[in-house]
Structures are given as structure tokens and as C-alpha cells.
Amino acid sequence: MKIIGRHKCVAGATITESYDEKREGYKDILYRRFTATIRGWQNWKLFEGYIEEDTFEKVVNKAIEIRVRIDSGDETVFEHKGFWL
């Protein structure tokens, strides 16, 4: 996986977008992985797969959801191994 961008569109979070060279361009569909650092907590796994039109919007919404849970003191958010869409 190679990093192609770091998005800072969510306050308190950085969403990292990467792609897999081996799967890129398969049937003209883009393969991406999105992970995030939220409030200093790294490596939140949000999405991996072939993207659709609304994939990034869903990733942003999931990052916001995790940030809100962290801010509210919900420690159960740390029990999950990944928040795949």
C-alpha cells in the first residue's frame, strides 16, 4: 500500500488514503484503504476495498462518530479492532 493523501477535513482527525498497486485499475475501479488518527489515537481502520461515489463521505462520517465517542468518554470505542464500512 502506498499513501496518496492525508485528509484533514475532520477536526481532531487525519484520514490517510492509500492504494494497492497490485489491485489498482482492476476493471477501471479504484482500490483504496482509509485509516485515521483521531485525537492522537492512531491506526483506526475505516475502509478497504473498491470505492464508490459516496465512500469518502462514509469514511468521514465514521471518523466523526469515533471522535464523538472518544470525546464523550466512551471507552468501549477502544474495544473494537476495526470500524470497517
Side-chain angles (χ1 to χ4, degrees), residues 29-68:
I29 301 174
L30 303 176
Y31 191 89
R32 295 286 190 265
R33 175 186 290 168
F34 291 94
T35 58
T37 299
I38 304 171
R39 296 288 192 230
W41 298 94
Q42 298 178 340
N43 209 24
W44 293 96
K45 296 166 180 66
L46 303 176
F47 177 82
E48 183 173 351
Y50 296 102
I51 61 172
E52 298 175 2
E53 286 184 26
D54 63 342
T55 300
F56 188 70
E57 183 180 335
K58 290 178 182 178
V59 167
V60 168
N61 290 336
K62 183 56 74 173
I64 291 170
E65 176 188 330
I66 294 168
R67 184 196 64 195
V68 168

Side-chain angles (χ1 to χ4, degrees), residues 59-85:
V59 167
V60 168
N61 290 336
K62 183 56 74 173
I64 291 170
E65 176 188 330
I66 294 168
R67 184 196 64 195
V68 168
R69 289 179 65 186
I70 290 171
D71 290 348
S72 69
D74 181 5
E75 294 184 13
T76 62
V77 73
F78 299 107
E79 296 174 4
H80 297 282
K81 293 185 179 179
F83 286 88
W84 298 105
L85 296 176

Side-chain angles (χ1 to χ4, degrees), residues 13-42:
T14 301
I15 299 171
T16 302
E17 179 179 359
S18 54
Y19 75 99
D20 189 341
E21 294 174 312
K22 296 175 184 174
R23 297 182 183 185
E24 187 70 12
Y26 174 72
K27 294 186 180 180
D28 296 326
I29 301 174
L30 303 176
Y31 191 89
R32 295 286 190 265
R33 175 186 290 168
F34 291 94
T35 58
T37 299
I38 304 171
R39 296 288 192 230
W41 298 94
Q42 298 178 340

